[in-house]
Amino acid sequence: MSKKANQTSAALITILASSKDDGRSLYDNVYRAIRKAILERHLPPGSRLPSTRVLAGDLNVSRNTVESAYAQLEAEGFTRPHVGSGTYVRDVVVQRSGSVQKTAVGRRPMNPQETLSQRGKLIWSTGGCPEPLQVRAFSAGMPALEDFPTEIWQRLCSRRLRSMKGPMLGYGNPQGADQLRSVIAQYLATARGVRCIPEQILILTSSQQGLDLCVRLLADPREMVWLEDPGYLGARNAFLASGATVVPVPVDDEGLQVSVGTKKAPKARLAYVTPSHQYPTGVTLSLNRRIALLDWAEATKAWVIEDDYDSEFHYAGRPVAAIQGLAASDRVIYVGTFSKVMFPNLRIAYMVVPPALIDSFVTGRSLLDGHSPTFFQSVLADFMEGGHFAVHLRRMRLLYRARRDFLLDIAQERLSNWLEFGALDGGLQVPAYCKIPINDERFSKRASSVGLELPPISKLYLTEPAKPGWIVGFSALTPTQISSGMDRLSELLDTL
Ligand SMILES: Cc1ncc(COP(=O)(O)O)c(C=O)c1O
């Protein structure tokens, strides 16, 4: 045997010994060892593998085992046989796989400027829409997870699990399960004044997915989209990532200033609004502005995206009905989510789509991720049909109102020199504006170092002057958490 073949066998024996996994078959271990040697260039392009007989002897395995490993490598394009002279490592595959391998193990960090497409760079530059993974004072927009009726939920899950067989294991309807679409349509008609039939409902993984779909399907790159200023970062980033031009439209105590939008960008394709409970100010869009917005959309054939993310939680009287129900025309796309009224990990949201757009939205959705798991859609529909959803909402409304009142009482007692709260009628958080000029972003970092989560409001503004302050969540916090969080916050404010 040649010296080279000897060295190759020795390298393979070393790799095999270091990566051998007794849970895998012998053939698989040999195949993986050779593949690793090729990717890491212990076996460079053009080099010849030892004959199956020699390698089988060196590795002390059967010749069949080596032959199967060689056949697999050849089938995957790592090697090519040469009649009469043996098996050789291919060139091109080695270079490509080698670079994939390097990135995967993180030896060479990716430089997005070199690697990504123009679209990819845009997506990356937004920073995405990550949500905090833990609940602490003053996590915002988070339901009281400890108070969710898990026993009922588990019982309904178990019942559905028993029928999870046969056809239930196959693909589901990309538009969503019929039963869930019907219950949502009924619920929206009574609770939110939304006018729709189940055929207009599209089940989604999240509102975020809905915003992404809307901008992709309805606005071309550089076309204009109105965004409330200050406004929701998830919406801003979805629109920017798609290449749309985001036009900030200021918000006052009547909500979006429609007249400014019509002056700045009369030909915008989309307007994003949170009319029932503006994010983050909490104000409600006045009726005059609602009508002006719909008139503009109708006249210019623009679309209004109504993000109704937390209007179920209204603590003084009934919430204002959705704009979608007001519209004589079909220019409104209504987006709702179960992240707040149930729990975020459920990953079920929905959109009410005007009839003209249903087919294109269902097609677009099927390209994103097919459909949401039918299992949880069915359990959720059972939960709603069984009356548990209504009971849960009533309980949470009372709980959150009590938590909000508790937070405001303490804040009034201890923090009134520093903070002034914005609209308080509903939602899972309140904006707290700072009475003195302050860099709210820097303060948020200091707060984070003492275990407080206080997202700065100035980051949600697209134009100056931003009103400094923080978004203060209360719904997920017990009185003890609120009280100790307030202690830490007042200590920190005292150092200013
Ligand atoms: C205005 C607004 N819309 C939508 C959402 C998120 O909903 P989802 O979890 O369904 O994406 C949030 C979450 O905080 C929000 O504040």
Side-chain angles (χ1 to χ4, degrees), residues 391-447:
V391 172
H392 178 56
L393 271 187
R394 267 199 302 277
R395 280 187 56 230
M396 291 306 105
R397 227 176 261 133
L398 291 176
L399 180 71
Y400 298 165
R401 187 170 63 192
R403 289 181 171 183
R404 179 204 60 170
D405 292 347
F406 186 71
L407 176 119
L408 293 177
D409 284 350
I410 301 190
Q412 176 63 27
E413 223 174 81
R414 303 189 208 163
L415 307 175
S416 56
N417 285 343
W418 304 105
L419 301 180
E420 175 179 55
F421 286 91
L424 304 163
D425 289 348
L428 310 180
Q429 66 265 328
V430 281
Y433 301 106
C434 199
K435 288 183 174 173
I436 58 163
I438 189 174
N439 181 325
D440 57 2
E441 233 179 303
R442 211 175 299 143
F443 186 84
S444 292
K445 289 195 183 117
R446 286 184 60 203

Side-chain angles (χ1 to χ4, degrees), residues 102 105 133 137 148 218 234 254 263 337 341 381 421 454:
K102 271 190 186 154
V105 295
L133 297 181
F148 184 75
L218 300 172
E254 279 190 62
K263 271 198 207 94
T337 180
V341 283
F421 286 91
L454 285 169

Side-chain angles (χ1 to χ4, degrees), residues 105-143:
V105 295
R107 261 186 263 150
R108 192 157 55 93
M110 183 186 78
N111 175 356
Q113 297 309 327
E114 283 172 9
T115 320
L116 297 178
S117 64
Q118 293 306 321
R119 196 189 317 108
K121 282 178 202 157
L122 263 183
I123 294 172
W124 181 77
S125 67
T126 66
C129 185
E131 297 286 354
L133 297 181
Q134 73 189 120
V135 174
R136 54 182 183 159
F138 295 95
S139 294
M142 187 57 91

Side-chain angles (χ1 to χ4, degrees), residues 197-210:
I197 51 171
E199 288 70 21
Q200 280 175 264
I201 293 187
L202 170 59
I203 304 294
L204 303 161
T205 306
S206 59
S207 323
Q208 194 60 36
Q209 187 178 49

Side-chain angles (χ1 to χ4, degrees), residues 131 140-141 205-209 211 232 272 274 279 307 309 336-340 344 347-349 429:
E131 297 286 354
T205 306
S206 59
S207 323
Q208 194 60 36
Q209 187 178 49
L211 302 179
Y232 180 47
Y272 168 82
T274 45
Y279 187 90
D307 183 353
Y309 64 108
T337 180
F338 287 98
S339 290
K340 320 286 174 190
R347 298 286 78 200
I348 297 184
Q429 66 265 328

